Amino acid sequence: MASCCYPDILAWIQNLPPITQWREKNSMSICICSSGSFQPSLNLSVAKNLQSATIFFSITADFSLPISLWSSKPIKTNPKSSKLLDDGTISSLSVNLIEDVLGYASNKSCSSSTKVLRTDSVLSQLKDTFNAAFLTLSLLICIYEAPADLRSECLASLKNQLTNRRLRGASKSLMKIMGSNLEEQWMRSINLAITNWIAERQASHQTLKTPSPLFSYSFSTTGLWKVQLYCPVIAMDVESSSNPAHERLLFSLKYHQLECVIQFNYKVIVQENWVDVIVNTDNIRCDVVRLLNETLMTEQGVGTDEKHFPSRISLYLAPILQTNIISVSVSKSSENPAREIEMEKGIETSFDPPNSFLGLKVSAGETVSMSLKPWKFEQSVYGSSAIMNWFLHDNMDGREVFSSKPPRMALITPKPWFKNRYSSSYRPFTRQGGVIFAGDEYGKSVQWKVDKSTIGKTMEWEIKGWIWLTYWPNKYRTAYSETRRLQFEEILQLSVPPA
């Protein structure tokens, strides 16, 4: 049996001998992960189908009597081949793995397409992507199917494997092969499983170590930086909450995930004495997407109208090596809002009773009004780093939403802004409840002047981000509110062309 520490599943499959060399064996297996020296393990097995000239793979819990947790489709083998499976057949197995992960999604916005997956790109990226697909399926199988005494240790092992540097790069390649639609469905399948696992642990009041709650990756090419991230809402840190909430409301709130795309355009201009690096906001899109179908959300929760919304986004962008930075400039001034002031003055005179002085009463009133957009954008600089902040404000009192509670009077007034917030014509969100910050209004630039020693080299840049999601009641009658926060970090590359 192979070592239980970080097995290379693809290499094991590629080196399997043809069935003619199995002698008296009907199956072969490799350990995926183990729960301890004298405890059962999670294995991948390949076995002959005694009723046809095919084989199949299975994931089993290796007790004294093995328990099958998953089986692949039957696979035909070539008896003349020197190996059990060729790369084309392994590619088909890879498609099988991907489709089975996609099948765990409850809220399927698109169907998995075999035609999309069965391309030359699957075969060409097989080395990088097969293990990522297999370990992801193993994670879901472990959450949903594995016995309790095997689950915790194996989940920890699978988490460590999926989050190491090599597998993170492989997962990025896998996302590229699947395309954006299947990528979203893939992440919804994974995060539904993680949400169920966290909810189960919370219900039993067990110490919680979530299995890889955040998945993010970055993409750098000439003139464009992109960061994509996904995280189940239940795994985000709670910053504040108020009032006990009904279980049905909490059910609706937790079965969502945050999906976010951050895109920057940049230009590199070589000047006589320095190099200009100019970065503009292209698109920042944040959505809170439900993980369950509408029927389940209605039967076990309070429907699909109650969910968190983005209330603040903070991004920090800087070159990792800052010794060659000459200066940094932002293009947006601090706020200088216009105020409309109306003065009302009146003079009243009256005669007081006898033996008193004539009284003259003067009254003056002042009314101050100002226009306030719900989202406020700010730029600032810290050292050689640019900081960009988007804040959502309550249009009733101007407070920042992420750090406040809904006003008590607003909860009983007929039309506060946060009621029916996804259908009102004055909504600060998209119809689906997300936000989009694009270049038309938020495309302000940040400019770095960089020393000419960087010409012809590749610079590494760092982006850090914090995203706040807030819940205030929408259609459901409750005084409950809460704010959660997510932090992420990615590395970007920028190539400075030769002079």
Side-chain angles (χ1 to χ4, degrees):
M1 182 177 289
S3 169
C4 288
C5 297
Y6 298 80
D8 187 340
I9 301 298
L10 176 61
W12 179 75
I13 292 175
Q14 288 176 325
N15 292 318
L16 285 171
I19 291 180
T20 54
Q21 297 180 21
W22 285 24
R23 298 179 183 176
E24 301 300 322
K25 294 181 180 179
N26 288 323
S27 66
M28 303 179 73
S29 65
I30 182 175
C31 174
I32 303 170
C33 56
S34 174
S35 57
S37 301
F38 302 101
Q39 298 297 323
S41 59
L42 197 66
N43 292 351
L44 173 65
S45 300
V46 57
K48 300 175 185 178
N49 191 330
L50 301 179
Q51 298 178 349
S52 63
T54 59
I55 62 167
F56 65 92
F57 288 87
S58 61
I59 295 176
T60 60
D62 188 25
F63 290 90
S64 54
L65 182 63
I67 301 173
S68 178
L69 307 177
W70 170 86
S71 294
S72 71
K73 297 175 182 178
I75 300 171
K76 292 183 179 180
T77 61
N78 182 0
K80 297 180 180 180
S81 175
S82 60
K83 295 183 178 180
L84 181 65
L85 301 176
D86 58 28
D87 285 349
T89 307
I90 297 175
S91 177
S92 298
L93 176 59
S94 181
V95 172
N96 187 174
L97 300 174
I98 293 170
E99 289 178 337
D100 283 0
V101 171
L102 295 173
Y104 276 98
S106 173
N107 181 30
K108 298 178 183 178
S109 58
C110 58
S111 59
S112 58
S113 172
T114 304
K115 292 182 179 179
V116 173
L117 296 173
R118 291 185 186 276
T119 62
D120 292 340
S121 59
V122 177
L123 185 57
S124 64
Q125 300 288 333
L126 191 61
K127 182 177 179 180
D128 293 329
T129 61
F130 184 91
N131 284 344
F134 175 78
L135 290 173
T136 300
L137 178 62
S138 299
L139 180 75
L140 270 60
I141 295 296
C142 197
I143 290 174
Y144 287 119
E145 311 294 345
D149 51 356
L150 180 63
R151 187 185 302 169
S152 295
E153 292 297 327
C154 283
L155 278 175
S157 174
L158 290 167
K159 172 189 173 182
N160 291 336
Q161 294 182 60
L162 283 166
T163 55
N164 70 44
R165 186 172 182 178
R166 181 174 180 180
L167 263 296
R168 282 178 62 85
S171 295
K172 178 179 175 180
S173 299
L174 184 59
M175 299 299 106
K176 186 176 180 180
I177 289 173
M178 290 192 295
S180 58
N181 286 341
L182 292 185
E183 173 185 328
E184 290 177 358
Q185 187 176 330
W186 175 271
M187 291 309 306
R188 290 169 192 176
S189 296
I190 296 170
N191 284 335
L192 173 59
I194 291 175
T195 298
N196 283 326
W197 170 239
I198 295 174
E200 179 185 325
R201 301 281 289 185
Q202 289 178 343
S204 59
H205 305 288
Q206 298 181 45
T207 303
L208 185 66
K209 289 186 178 180
T210 59
S212 189
L214 168 67
F215 175 76
S216 66
Y217 66 88
S218 62
F219 175 77
S220 303
T221 190
T222 304
L224 175 68
W225 285 330
K226 177 182 177 181
V227 175
Q228 184 99 29
L229 62 92
Y230 302 87
C231 184
V233 168
I234 195 173
M236 297 174 67
D237 295 331
V238 177
E239 288 236 317
S240 63
S241 64
S242 66
N243 301 311
H246 194 279
E247 286 298 320
R248 289 174 65 90
L249 173 60
L250 293 178
F251 182 91
S252 284
L253 294 181
K254 69 188 176 186
Y255 279 98
H256 287 85
Q257 78 169 4
L258 170 66
E259 300 179 2
C260 186
V261 178
I262 298 167
Q263 293 175 181
F264 289 107
N265 295 326
Y266 70 84
K267 293 188 294 185
V268 180
I269 304 172
V270 178
Q271 307 286 6
E272 183 178 355
N273 297 317
W274 61 75
V275 176
D276 283 327
V277 176
I278 305 169
V279 179
N280 293 79
T281 301
D282 174 58
N283 255 216
I284 296 175
R285 304 190 297 271
C286 286
D287 287 291
V288 180
V289 180
R290 58 186 167 88
L291 297 171
L292 293 178
N293 59 45
E294 188 173 349
T295 301
L296 284 171
M297 294 293 270
T298 302
E299 290 178 350
Q300 300 187 44
V302 293
T304 59
D305 294 316
E306 303 306 311
K307 65 178 183 177
H308 294 76
F309 54 84
S311 56
R312 181 184 174 187
I313 300 172
S314 182
L315 300 178
Y316 165 109
L317 184 62
I320 291 180
L321 182 62
Q322 301 193 2
T323 55
N324 50 21
I325 302 300
I326 299 172
S327 68
V328 58
S329 305
V330 294
S331 59
K332 180 174 172 53
S333 304
S334 56
E335 290 294 329
N336 187 25
R339 304 203 319 173
E340 299 174 3
I341 300 178
E342 299 176 2
M343 299 292 294
E344 296 180 357
K345 295 182 179 180
I347 298 177
E348 298 179 2
T349 59
S350 63
F351 290 99
D352 288 339
N355 302 322
S356 65
F357 294 97
L358 175 67
L360 179 64
K361 297 180 180 179
V362 179
S363 65
E366 178 178 338
T367 302
V368 178
S369 62
M370 58 187 298
S371 60
L372 176 68
K373 290 184 176 181
W375 283 98
K376 181 178 180 181
F377 173 57
E378 291 182 347
Q379 286 182 323
S380 58
V381 175
Y382 180 77
S384 296
S385 306
I387 302 171
M388 290 158 276
N389 277 293
W390 288 262
F391 299 90
L392 178 63
H393 288 259
D394 185 342
N395 61 12
M396 297 184 68
D397 55 18
R399 294 183 302 168
E400 294 174 349
V401 171
F402 86 98
S403 59
S404 60
K405 302 175 184 178
R408 290 186 177 181
M409 289 301 297
L411 291 171
I412 60 175
T413 54
K415 292 184 179 180
W417 69 269
F418 52 86
K419 292 285 189 178
N420 300 307
R421 56 179 172 261
Y422 306 127
S423 56
S424 167
S425 59
Y426 300 103
R427 63 179 179 266
F429 313 104
T430 65
R431 186 67 174 79
Q432 291 72 36
V435 292
I436 300 174
F437 302 126
D440 58 345
E441 187 172 355
Y442 300 100
K444 304 296 183 182
S445 64
V446 182
Q447 181 172 338
W448 285 264
K449 295 189 187 302
V450 184
D451 188 86
K452 293 189 70 174
S453 61
T454 58
I455 291 177
K457 299 179 181 178
T458 297
M459 299 177 64
E460 285 196 330
W461 292 62
E462 178 183 47
I463 181 170
K464 293 181 180 179
W466 296 263
I467 299 173
W468 285 259
L469 298 182
T470 296
Y471 171 73
W472 286 7
N474 182 24
K475 295 183 178 180
Y476 185 71
R477 296 189 63 179
T478 179
Y480 181 73
S481 64
E482 74 169 20
T483 294
R484 292 176 177 262
R485 180 176 61 87
L486 167 72
Q487 181 177 348
F488 68 92
E489 182 177 336
E490 287 291 334
I491 302 299
L492 307 165
Q493 283 77 40
L494 181 145
S495 296
V496 181

